[in-house]
Amino acid sequence: MASMMRAVQEFWVLGLLGQMIVCGFLFFRGHYRKLPFFTAYIVLNICQAAFLYALYAHFGFGSHGARMLAWWSEAGTLILRSLATAEVLRVVLSPYRGIWGLGWRVLCVAFGLVLSFAAIEAGSNLDWAFVLADRGFHLAFAVALVACLLLVRHYSIPIPSAYKALLAGFCFHSCVVVLANTVGKTLFPRESAHYQPIWQAVTTGTYALVQVVWAVALRKPLPAEEKQQARLPASIYQQISPEINQRLRSLNDRLSKFWEPEVSRH
Amino acid sequence: MSLALILFFGIGAVLLLGLAWALWEPRERKKLGSDLGSLDECGQRHVDYLPQIRQALAPMDFDFLLKNASRDLQRRVRRERLRVALAYLAAVRGDFQSLLRTAKVIAAMSPEVAAVQELERLRLTAKFTWHYQMIRWKLLAGLAPVPQLDGLSNLVSGLSVRMEVAMKELGEHAAAAAKLASSVNGRGMDAV
């Protein structure tokens, strides 16, 4: 247990160091102008780390009150995390107005749906409410992000590697938190105190790794914003799209009747 | 192992695979820009070769062979007909995918995209893929009435003609946008 606690502390320091490096790149490279919410997210995380350090130093690591305050402090960072992700996606999709319009709707619907289920589950199990709410948020976040990225791939829209790293980092960390919370709730239903250091080691370790990836991605200047792609009048899409769908529907009808005897044609 | 553990591990694995697939970019993958360059190819379609394919699959030829040729030759001809039918079906799918790619480019360049239309196209594409695979397997099993491939290609060629008109409009708009951009740049340089 003691070695686990030491590992948690080491990962925590590494993560904090990583965040400070990322923050440095954001300010000295001028990325904060392009990514204000992402910058705010990193700054808030550093502030949260200082707050948690003071909290645990004062109340002790095993204090119930300190743990509750720590969970509540997480709410602000989670909100900024969502805004930062939406911001990165907006930067990537800004030259494609129509797809961004579709993308943010996919993001909102997927996030809202999964989060609603998670809220119901967390509400029905008050002992584990914080863990379930945290898992639900990260699950909704990862589902929405992957759905939006699949949409981007569907339309063959290129994502610059720096933004890829930011989005992959967010998603990977969320998936790990979902799995860590599930293992904790399932395998240690009554002895959460035993699992807590393991949970912290896994999540802080992953977060430290993500900071390394982000620092590498942000050490170079971000790609210049693409100009708006040559845009078509909305009327062309409105005219062509339903017609394509009509043709595809007819084609599918023909295919489904492929094995029926054909009526004689004149 | 509880059900929840298996379920969430499954979801986590699917999400990580989805993330990797969404961000992975194969070398040969065409970007939107190169898709635009290839739009001119839309006019040339495999359905243009339909008369030749129909000639190759004509039942009269096969009836003649049944009466006059050896069993070996009949078998070889049957194999060749199947090969031609499969190659043709694959080519029609290629045309279908090329048209879908064009539809995606139009969507990407439009200022507004209707979610209902896009979702409907996804559903129809999934349905087409399913039907295509079924027909392919039945052809391979020797159950397919080969000449009916005709109906399939008529629809694709109809769509292709309509898309060519759209591509022409797209080209005109792109040229106008490029002209406008260059004139704006020119003015900017003059001012400096």
Side-chain angles (χ1 to χ4, degrees):
Chain A
M1 189 66 81
S3 63
M4 189 56 75
M5 292 305 289
R6 200 177 313 123
V8 171
Q9 283 167 2
E10 282 168 5
F11 284 143
W12 191 75
V13 170
L14 269 177
L16 186 62
L17 205 66
Q19 284 181 102
M20 287 170 134
I21 293 169
V22 168
C23 195
F25 282 137
L26 283 167
F27 281 105
F28 291 115
R29 290 264 179 208
H31 300 327
Y32 68 93
R33 288 190 207 96
K34 203 178 265 185
L35 302 170
F37 281 117
F38 184 79
T39 309
Y41 168 71
I42 295 291
V43 170
L44 188 70
N45 258 308
I46 295 171
C47 294
Q48 191 198 22
F51 169 71
L52 291 180
Y53 182 79
L55 195 72
Y56 288 128
H58 189 263
F59 291 105
F61 210 63
S63 153
H64 178 73
R67 218 182 308 154
M68 288 297 110
L69 278 172
W71 275 118
W72 281 113
S73 74
E74 189 72 4
T77 58
L78 291 183
I79 291 167
L80 267 180
R81 182 190 178 93
S82 309
L83 292 174
T85 308
E87 178 180 70
V88 175
L89 285 169
R90 188 192 55 77
V91 170
V92 170
L93 293 177
S94 60
Y96 311 92
R97 253 178 54 191
I99 304 301
W100 168 236
L102 196 61
W104 76 256
R105 276 178 275 174
V106 167
L107 210 60
C108 289
V109 169
F111 188 76
L113 272 178
V114 183
L115 198 63
S116 308
F117 282 113
I120 294 167
E121 194 192 10
S124 63
N125 192 343
L126 291 175
D127 291 344
W128 286 86
F130 279 110
V131 172
L132 291 176
D134 188 50
R135 180 178 76 181
F137 173 87
H138 282 285
L139 185 62
F141 179 85
V143 168
L145 183 52
V146 170
C148 200
L149 287 174
L150 289 176
L151 182 89
V152 171
R153 189 190 164 95
H154 177 70
Y155 289 101
S156 307
I157 293 172
I159 305 178
S161 54
Y163 298 130
K164 261 186 199 177
L166 299 186
L167 295 171
F170 275 132
C171 194
F172 179 67
H173 180 248
S174 281
C175 288
V176 171
V177 172
V178 168
L179 296 180
N181 284 350
T182 306
V183 171
K185 186 182 172 296
T186 312
L187 299 184
F188 301 86
R190 293 184 195 286
E191 298 161 80
S192 61
H194 287 128
Y195 181 65
Q196 207 182 0
I198 303 172
W199 181 87
Q200 280 172 334
V202 171
T203 52
T204 51
T206 309
Y207 197 66
L209 182 71
V210 167
Q211 296 310 310
V212 173
V213 173
W214 285 352
V216 170
L218 292 170
R219 77 189 193 285
K220 289 178 191 164
L222 290 174
E225 244 173 80
E226 268 187 72
K227 283 181 186 164
Q228 191 88 22
Q229 291 289 329
R231 231 189 292 151
L232 288 171
S235 59
I236 290 193
Y237 176 82
Q238 285 159 8
Q239 192 188 340
I240 304 274
S241 187
E243 190 166 337
I244 292 173
N245 284 359
Q246 184 52 45
R247 294 280 180 174
L248 295 178
R249 216 171 287 125
S250 320
L251 185 56
N252 273 305
D253 287 347
R254 280 302 275 268
L255 277 177
S256 60
K257 290 173 188 160
F258 197 77
W259 307 106
E260 289 175 14
E262 200 165 16
V263 181
S264 62
R265 275 171 282 174
H266 299 285
Chain B
M1 274 276 217
S2 83
L3 185 67
L5 198 61
I6 296 167
L7 184 74
F8 277 94
F9 263 95
I11 292 172
V14 168
L15 283 173
L16 287 174
L17 282 175
L19 175 74
W21 191 73
L23 294 179
W24 175 65
E25 206 168 337
R27 276 184 193 170
E28 72 275 15
R29 186 180 160 200
K30 283 186 177 176
K31 293 220 171 98
L32 204 62
S34 60
D35 272 351
L36 277 173
S38 68
L39 288 180
D40 293 342
E41 296 161 20
C42 282
Q44 276 198 325
R45 309 220 158 262
H46 292 98
V47 289
D48 292 347
Y49 302 107
L50 184 63
Q52 288 88 331
I53 300 289
R54 282 170 75 178
Q55 178 68 43
L57 300 174
M60 276 187 299
D61 292 1
F62 199 67
D63 289 346
F64 177 79
L65 281 175
L66 270 178
K67 284 175 197 157
N68 301 303
S70 66
R71 278 177 184 271
D72 259 6
L73 186 60
Q74 284 176 29
R75 256 202 302 275
R76 221 178 75 196
V77 169
R78 205 190 300 271
R79 247 196 334 265
E80 285 296 304
R81 284 165 65 98
L82 176 65
R83 203 175 57 80
V84 169
L86 286 173
Y88 179 65
L89 194 63
V92 170
R93 187 178 71 152
D95 286 350
F96 183 89
Q97 285 174 336
S98 154
L99 291 167
L100 277 179
R101 200 163 51 237
T102 309
K104 281 182 202 172
V105 174
I106 291 178
M109 298 186 99
S110 294
E112 280 171 36
V113 173
V116 180
Q117 295 285 341
E118 298 302 308
L119 285 174
E120 176 71 356
R121 195 171 306 129
L122 266 183
R123 191 184 69 81
L124 290 168
T125 306
K127 205 171 162 185
F128 176 84
T129 308
W130 168 253
H131 281 144
Y132 166 81
Q133 290 299 343
M134 290 299 290
I135 290 169
R136 195 169 163 273
W137 283 111
K138 284 186 181 179
L139 271 170
L140 284 169
L143 300 169
V146 171
Q148 285 188 27
L149 287 172
D150 189 9
L152 176 67
S153 51
N154 283 345
L155 278 159
V156 178
S157 61
L159 178 58
S160 114
V161 169
R162 188 66 197 87
M163 293 305 291
E164 276 165 39
V165 177
M167 283 310 101
K168 204 178 159 202
E169 281 183 63
L170 174 66
E172 282 164 8
H173 283 292
K179 203 174 165 184
L180 184 70
S182 67
S183 71
V184 168
N185 287 344
R187 255 180 275 150
M189 283 167 75
D190 288 343
V192 172

